[in-house]
Amino acid sequence: MKLGIVGLPNVGKSSLFNSLTKAGAASENYPFCTIDPNVGVVAVPDERLDKLAALYNSKKITPAVIEFVDIAGLVKGASKGEGLGNQFLANIRETDAIVHVVRCFEDTNIVHVDGSIDPLRDIDTINLELIFSDIEVLDRRLAKQKKAAFNNKDIAKEVAFIEKLKAFLEDGKLAKNFPCESDEQEFWMKDYNLLTAKPVILAANVAEDDMADDGAGNPYVQKVREYAKEADCEVFVICARMEEEISELDDAEKKDYLDAMGVTSSGLDKLIAASYRILGLISYLTAGEKETRAWTIKKGTKAPQAAGKIHSDFERGFIRAEVINYQDLLDCGSSAVAREKGLIRLEGKDYVMQDGDVVVFRFNV
């Protein structure tokens, strides 16, 4: 999973990136200090892996991972050359979703580029810059396809589609809300890789005092949550400054810190949960003496395709899957006891994988 982090300058974007990845991106109090795209890879915390590894005496634990891409802060007019952010938008075109950091805190020591705190205005500013960037992509595609459309009806159909989509964007609407009328149009849409077609997770960045009630008393957060409902976005509350502080602590110290603050989940935990929800992802697990590992798949994935995540031969030669629920296996204490109790099921090609399935795939090629 790959997530792109966007936002205005001085909203806590790079501070959030630092806390998530401990990559040390610059985060000074002035616009455009992050002038290179920063990339960090983070392991997805999953306590199930540690418990399974203990059960099997695994030599290695391999968690799922998320790649974060942080770009320079966008400003109004970025698409026309203002600021630096637009130079790096290409770096987040390959991401699965966009994390939009929105400032929901007052601090006279940290300048807002527009002079006041207004999260909905900030969201609109970023959306417009992403729209303008997408229009540029469509203009280039349109110029190329128009030349080839004279003697090709299929290409002419795509040209008509691009023109409709471009008009939709020019009306200030996001590509993810454009109604595709056929599989062909959906294929084209995916091929364009538009920024405004991607799922969005809004990170409402608040002061430490707002963390205990998850931003319930913060009017800016309430506005962001209302917007998220209408726009079909995920939203979570975070204090980037606090996240930076706890990123330096070990697990025990981190838990004590969060408990003292009255916070149940870290920002990384919240972001991962939001990412999995909006992208429709789950994890199945494999375990043995050699390795215990998490595999990320889409909800609704059937057993052969899930097996293909491990190796294409597993999918091609799929025979069956031996499946048990993670908690059932843990309660039994071993796979042998679970098998005696009849809790390990034999599933075929039509089995839809569930989150927390512990699986052994049988195949023959």
Side-chain angles (χ1 to χ4, degrees), residues 159-218:
V159 166
F161 173 75
I162 295 172
E163 288 174 338
K164 283 184 183 178
L165 176 56
K166 183 184 171 188
F168 188 82
L169 293 177
E170 288 173 339
D171 201 29
K173 298 172 184 174
L174 305 180
K176 68 177 183 176
N177 297 321
F178 186 79
C180 291
E181 298 167 357
S182 66
D183 291 343
E184 187 176 39
Q185 290 184 355
E186 286 184 8
F187 174 80
W188 290 331
M189 181 72 88
K190 287 179 182 176
D191 192 42
Y192 306 150
N193 214 2
L194 300 179
L195 293 169
T196 62
K198 297 182 186 298
V200 173
I201 303 163
L202 295 168
N205 188 16
V206 301
E208 285 189 18
D209 293 345
D210 289 321
M211 287 300 295
D213 65 354
D214 201 34
N218 183 317

Side-chain angles (χ1 to χ4, degrees), residues 219-268:
Y220 299 132
V221 172
Q222 298 317 306
K223 288 181 180 179
V224 172
R225 283 180 168 145
E226 288 166 13
Y227 171 87
K229 282 182 185 177
E230 295 175 7
D232 193 26
C233 301
E234 283 286 337
V235 60
F236 72 100
V237 174
I238 192 169
C239 174
R241 182 176 291 175
M242 188 179 86
E243 290 296 321
E244 274 200 295
E245 290 175 6
I246 67 173
S247 69
E248 302 301 323
L249 306 177
D250 63 30
D251 290 343
E253 290 172 329
K254 188 180 296 184
K255 185 180 184 307
D256 290 342
Y257 184 102
L258 293 174
D259 288 345
M261 294 294 297
V263 179
T264 55
S265 302
S266 72
L268 179 59

Side-chain angles (χ1 to χ4, degrees), residues 5-23:
I5 303 177
V6 301
L8 293 171
N10 294 348
V11 297
K13 194 171 54 62
S14 290
S15 293
L16 174 61
F17 175 81
N18 290 351
S19 66
L20 295 175
T21 65
K22 299 182 183 178

Side-chain angles (χ1 to χ4, degrees), residues 110-163:
I110 301 178
V111 179
H112 190 291
V113 289
D114 288 328
S116 62
I117 309 302
D118 185 343
L120 297 189
R121 177 200 60 207
D122 294 353
I123 290 170
D124 284 343
T125 297
I126 296 297
N127 282 346
L128 278 174
E129 296 312 317
L130 298 183
I131 286 170
F132 291 145
S133 183
D134 283 347
I135 289 172
E136 287 181 16
V137 169
L138 292 180
D139 280 339
R140 288 195 295 270
R141 180 79 174 192
L142 198 57
K144 178 185 175 185
Q145 295 300 77
K146 271 187 173 179
K147 292 178 183 177
F150 292 107
N151 300 314
N152 190 310
K153 290 182 179 179
D154 289 333
I155 294 177
K157 280 164 61 178
E158 186 189 356
V159 166
F161 173 75
I162 295 172
E163 288 174 338

Side-chain angles (χ1 to χ4, degrees), residues 284-302:
Y284 75 85
L285 313 167
T286 55
E289 188 177 335
K290 184 178 178 181
E291 180 185 43
T292 290
R293 182 165 182 165
W295 304 87
T296 303
I297 55 173
K298 284 271 190 184
K299 277 183 185 174
T301 299
K302 293 186 177 180

Side-chain angles (χ1 to χ4, degrees), residues 267-327:
L268 179 59
D269 292 335
K270 288 181 179 179
L271 177 51
I272 288 169
S275 304
Y276 272 63
R277 283 194 302 268
I278 203 164
L279 293 172
L281 301 176
I282 61 172
S283 291
Y284 75 85
L285 313 167
T286 55
E289 188 177 335
K290 184 178 178 181
E291 180 185 43
T292 290
R293 182 165 182 165
W295 304 87
T296 303
I297 55 173
K298 284 271 190 184
K299 277 183 185 174
T301 299
K302 293 186 177 180
Q305 288 70 50
K309 287 283 287 185
I310 300 174
H311 197 284
S312 57
D313 284 351
F314 282 35
E315 180 176 358
R316 188 159 53 92
F318 179 88
I319 299 172
R320 66 179 183 273
E322 298 177 6
V323 185
I324 182 171
N325 172 267
Y326 155 78
Q327 192 58 53

